Amino acid sequence: MFPEEPVYQQLARIGKALASPVRLRLLDVLDQQERTVEELAREAGVPLKNTSAQLQQLRAAQLVTARKEGTRVYYRLADERVSRFLGAFQGFAQDRLADLRDAVAGLLGSYETVTADELAARLADPATLVLDVRSPGAFAAGHVPGAVSVPLRELEERLGELPGGKEIIAYCGGPYCVVSPRAVELLRGHGFRARPLEGGLTAWRRSGRAVRGL
């Protein structure tokens, strides 16, 4: 045993917690909003029993915390530093791994995106419409100021409500959310100018900007 081994053993606890696609997915979902284990399992697409087991490992690494309200337990990221760490980790990995870049492009398509900084500069622009295509509940929990809520499942039926002549910036939840690219595809197919927000609402929050709730 080398003298520094206890230090590296503790550092490795974080690496071990991140060494699972399921746990990384759970962290991304929790980065969007607090959830019960049942809600988290449903949103992440992970079996309930597995979700509970993975959450215990994330809590052991102090990446996730929980609170109890009546009989329900709500989970969330331990603090904002976890969110910033995840953003840095994902950005570093994408810079390093061509296979990851290919996987992201295959998932989200090759649309030109709008960054959080660009969106912030355009919020007061009357030629821009910010479209939140998440669920009404997610919108109510927190959204980009001035955004309009049109869930993806309703978008095609409500196209007539959208003003022509504006560029639509659509966003969904996390950095790998496929909902806003699908919305952009639908909008462009009906003649609208549209682009997705890079990284979704998570990227907006990680940039230090406020969200507005109902």
Side-chain angles (χ1 to χ4, degrees), residues 3-202:
E4 303 88 351
E5 186 169 351
V7 173
Y8 290 114
Q9 286 176 341
Q10 294 306 309
L11 288 172
R13 291 175 61 189
I14 301 296
K16 182 179 179 181
L18 299 178
S20 160
V22 171
R23 289 194 289 275
L24 289 172
R25 171 63 175 150
L26 295 176
L27 287 170
D28 254 352
V29 174
L30 287 175
D31 202 359
Q32 297 169 43
Q33 68 182 80
E34 181 181 68
R35 286 179 168 88
T36 65
V37 64
E38 294 83 6
E39 292 168 340
L40 183 57
R42 184 167 57 252
E43 178 70 18
V46 178
L48 182 61
K49 186 175 181 180
N50 191 14
T51 299
S52 297
Q54 302 300 336
L55 283 170
Q56 297 316 306
Q57 295 196 48
L58 292 172
R59 290 187 72 180
Q62 299 187 34
L63 297 175
V64 165
T65 189
R67 67 178 180 87
K68 193 169 184 180
E69 187 175 296
T71 59
R72 310 190 79 181
V73 179
Y74 290 83
Y75 291 87
R76 63 185 184 275
L77 296 189
D79 52 51
E80 285 298 318
R81 292 178 298 170
V82 178
S83 179
R84 293 195 295 271
F85 172 75
L86 290 173
F89 170 69
Q90 290 163 351
F92 177 81
Q94 197 158 327
D95 286 342
R96 292 282 169 164
L97 301 174
D99 287 347
L100 176 56
R101 294 193 293 274
D102 290 344
V104 171
L107 181 68
L108 303 181
S110 56
Y111 295 112
E112 180 186 0
T113 59
V114 175
T115 66
D117 289 342
E118 183 181 352
L119 177 57
R122 295 181 59 178
L123 283 185
D125 181 0
T128 300
L129 174 66
V130 183
L131 194 66
D132 187 314
V133 294
R134 302 173 301 152
S135 69
F139 180 82
H143 55 269
V144 174
V148 174
S149 175
V150 182
L152 178 62
R153 66 177 181 272
E154 302 175 8
L155 182 57
E156 190 164 15
E157 296 178 355
R158 297 176 58 183
L159 290 174
E161 300 176 21
L162 304 179
K166 293 190 177 186
E167 181 176 26
I168 299 174
I169 299 174
Y171 71 86
C172 49
Y176 309 121
C177 175
V178 299
V179 177
S180 58
R182 290 174 181 169
V184 166
E185 181 180 13
L186 190 156
L187 290 165
R188 289 187 174 189
H190 286 81
F192 291 91
R193 291 186 299 123
R195 289 189 287 164
L197 173 63
E198 181 180 334
L201 188 66
T202 297

